[in-house]
Amino acid sequence: ADRAGGVSNQLDTRFGIASGAKGFTALAVMRLVESGRLSLASTARSILGTDLPLIDAAVTVEHLLTHTSGIGDYIDDGDFDEWSLAVAPSELDSTDAYLTVLDGHPQRRAAGTVFEYCNGAFVVLALIAQRVSGVRFDRLVDDTVIRPAGLTATGFLRLDALPPDAAVGYLDDGATNIAHVPVLGSGDGGIFTTAADMARLWSVCAAGSVVSPETFAEMIRPRQDAPADSSRYGLGFWLDATRPVVRLDGCDAGVSFRSRYEPATGVVATVVSNSTDGAWPVARAVAEHLDA
């Protein structure tokens, strides 16, 4: 968990989950939809005003949730350990601060035409959610998802002030990930959690403790095919291409994460790692066992 301090990982160690946070963002957004303050048809432009002018006026909340917005992304896929941000990671300390890195990226495709995974879309969702609610995004997630779910070890943590029970992220060369990822996450990543909290999250979502069972069923209904990832996609959640399995995945410099849920059986399996690729061999082995 902390190589410099000689601290080992434990079962209750908190790990960063990178894009696994997108499920939390989607749940927070759908809480606003259920309350009537937002709808899937709401346009980003109607809430952003003059901010991020290159986002097409046709882009809706549903497009953003399903990675079909077609907006330009502030992060390109590649070698996670080699990623560098357009600003110092320490400057990204609130969702509003992301406006500087989200701006200037032209619309890549017409909204609603193609599934194209986009981290920036979920930061835009975070901006929308906090403007509609009037609550800072990390607190909104805590108020609408984390506390209603009864998660006791989950939340956005600053990388420059990690508590003793949180794992430091490490690159392949042994360096920490502090210079590679935002100091405080937003809608696309940055939450820390435990395997136990993830098991609880799936069960309480299914039971209707965060959003209604009907809303959660809609969130994990296949809406888009993602053949490049051998998957399908709902509203903030991955779905297996052929099996009734729902997933949250995350990968970043010093972070790898997968949590899978089988709605029919309630079986949950979560693999977390504080290295860029550490989770994947175990996650594959677990999936092979469960699928068999």
Side-chain angles (χ1 to χ4, degrees):
D2 179 357
R3 295 177 184 176
V7 179
S8 299
N9 284 316
Q10 305 295 327
L11 286 175
D12 59 355
T13 298
R14 293 196 270 179
F15 288 82
I17 61 172
S19 286
K22 290 182 172 69
F24 289 80
T25 299
L27 288 165
V29 167
M30 294 308 292
R31 283 289 300 267
L32 294 172
V33 170
E34 287 187 331
S35 72
R37 287 181 282 179
L38 198 60
S39 79
L40 291 177
S42 298
T43 63
R45 179 60 51 224
S46 67
I47 299 160
L48 293 175
T50 58
D51 286 331
L52 306 179
L54 297 183
I55 293 180
D56 191 273
V59 172
T60 67
V61 167
E62 183 168 4
H63 291 143
L64 295 166
L65 282 170
T66 57
H67 295 291
T68 59
S69 67
I71 70 172
D73 205 353
Y74 80 107
I75 289 177
D76 291 322
D77 288 336
D79 185 338
F80 293 101
D81 284 7
E82 297 299 323
W83 272 359
S84 61
L85 295 160
V87 300
S90 59
E91 293 184 29
L92 298 178
D93 58 359
S94 69
T95 293
D96 282 330
Y98 283 74
L99 282 167
T100 59
V101 293
L102 292 172
D103 202 10
H105 302 283
Q107 188 83 17
R108 296 200 287 208
R109 304 180 189 275
T113 57
V114 177
F115 176 92
E116 191 171 30
Y117 192 83
C118 181
N119 285 286
F122 274 71
V123 182
V124 173
L125 284 168
L127 283 164
I128 289 171
Q130 72 175 19
R131 291 187 182 187
V132 167
S133 66
V135 179
R136 195 171 122 159
F137 182 69
D138 54 338
R139 294 174 186 160
L140 179 68
V141 173
D142 190 62
D143 291 344
T144 61
V145 181
I146 293 171
R147 285 196 286 163
L151 309 184
T152 59
T154 300
F156 285 97
L157 302 179
R158 288 186 61 105
L159 291 191
D160 58 358
L162 289 178
D165 64 344
V168 176
Y170 290 99
L171 280 58
D172 288 344
D173 64 5
T176 71
N177 64 354
I178 189 75
H180 291 259
V181 293
V183 70
L184 184 69
S186 183
D188 62 338
I191 283 178
F192 280 68
T193 191
T194 63
D197 264 12
M198 285 306 305
R200 180 169 177 81
L201 178 67
W202 290 113
S203 66
V204 299
C205 280
S209 298
V210 179
V211 293
S212 71
E214 295 77 17
T215 294
F216 187 60
E218 279 297 299
M219 296 179 73
I220 62 174
R221 174 175 67 82
R223 291 168 180 263
Q224 299 292 327
D225 289 326
D229 299 284
S230 301
S231 299
R232 299 170 293 175
Y233 205 79
L235 296 174
F237 291 85
W238 291 98
L239 300 104
D240 190 88
T242 58
R243 297 177 182 272
V245 174
V246 186
R247 301 192 323 268
L248 287 174
D249 290 350
C251 190
D252 208 336
V255 181
S256 48
F257 162 86
R258 172 165 289 170
S259 187
R260 54 172 275 164
Y261 165 64
E262 299 177 12
T265 63
V267 171
V268 174
T270 300
V271 184
V272 285
S273 174
N274 56 328
S275 65
T276 308
D277 298 307
W280 307 129
V282 182
R284 284 193 293 269
V286 169
E288 289 171 3
H289 173 73
L290 291 175
D291 292 344

